[in-house]
Amino acid sequence: MAQILKFYDERHQYTLDGEEIPSVSEISRFASREIYGDITQYTLDNACKRGSAVHKYTETLDKYGECEASEDIIPYMTAYIQFRKDYGISDYEAIEKSLASRTMKYAGTLDRVGLIDGKRAILDIKTSAAVQNPLAMIQLNGYKKLWEENNPDKPIEILYILHLKGDSKYKLLSFEMDDTLFMACYTLHQALAKKKRNFRKETIC
């Protein structure tokens, strides 16, 4: 049975067959709070704007072979172009691909899926000042589960974060394929969601 997945960018919300479901980012919020603590909203907003812009421009570049980027984004694009040259990447299997799990009822958008050094990889693009390894591992393994449920004949062999930097350099970081932390966050999310549903029922009654 075909599933209808919709993504509403303005509120970063997914629905599957009309039912709202959590994103990988929402599920990983338990780890995000522990890692980022009391970071200011100003810092978060600036990082989000930069990240969104880089994702937009890299997507345009990958799909159409060229793009025009604002001056503040050019160093990140330079780093991305150098990464593609270094690893001989001319195409991907998936670019900014939104997927949902019908069995687990969550969704996410995978930045890239394709062959890197001959192995099918999930590649997540980051532009933050630093990569938080536990959070990256949670997100990547959540994406892996989404991809493999929807593409059972195309298993993922390696997980990568591509860290693009403001000095026009990059780092390609590999992560272990282990969904323990993701499933812990997923279990917490499900437990709290159930508690909220039960509370609403009790309030109505």
Side-chain angles (χ1 to χ4, degrees), residues 15-16 34 43 45 58-59 67 95 102 110 116 145-146:
T15 62
L16 181 64
E34 288 296 316
T43 301
D45 288 346
T58 55
E59 179 182 6
C67 71
I95 299 173
R102 183 169 288 280
L110 287 65
I116 300 177
K145 294 176 82 69
L146 287 175

Side-chain angles (χ1 to χ4, degrees), residues 2-119:
Q3 57 187 13
I4 300 174
L5 175 65
K6 292 184 179 180
F7 176 62
Y8 301 91
D9 187 50
E10 65 278 5
R11 54 185 189 270
H12 198 78
Q13 180 190 81
Y14 293 90
T15 62
L16 181 64
D17 298 335
E19 176 188 354
E20 184 177 346
I21 57 175
S23 66
V24 169
S25 297
E26 184 179 352
I27 290 170
S28 65
R29 70 189 183 279
F30 304 100
S32 298
R33 290 169 184 168
E34 288 296 316
I35 291 168
Y36 290 114
D38 296 325
I39 191 169
T40 66
Q41 191 60 46
Y42 175 80
T43 301
L44 287 173
D45 288 346
N46 280 347
C48 184
K49 286 178 183 177
R50 181 180 64 237
S52 295
V54 171
H55 275 78
K56 171 187 169 185
Y57 290 129
T58 55
E59 179 182 6
T60 300
L61 179 68
D62 286 337
K63 287 182 175 178
Y64 305 109
E66 60 182 11
C67 71
E68 293 184 7
S70 56
E71 187 174 344
D72 59 318
I73 300 300
I74 288 176
Y76 299 95
M77 295 302 297
T78 300
Y80 183 66
I81 291 168
Q82 188 61 50
F83 157 74
R84 291 203 344 173
K85 287 180 179 177
D86 289 346
Y87 287 86
I89 295 172
S90 59
D91 199 8
Y92 294 98
E93 290 183 66
I95 299 173
E96 296 293 337
K97 180 69 174 178
S98 294
L99 295 171
S101 167
R102 183 169 288 280
T103 57
M104 295 178 66
K105 296 293 181 70
Y106 78 95
T109 299
L110 287 65
D111 291 349
R112 304 291 187 277
V113 177
L115 295 180
I116 300 177
D117 280 343
K119 295 181 178 179

Side-chain angles (χ1 to χ4, degrees), residues 29 187-203:
R29 70 189 183 279
T187 300
L188 279 170
H189 176 84
Q190 291 295 93
L192 289 176
K194 182 177 180 180
K195 188 175 182 180
K196 286 180 182 178
R197 288 195 297 270
N198 289 339
F199 177 76
R200 291 195 193 101
K201 289 179 182 178
E202 291 172 2
T203 303

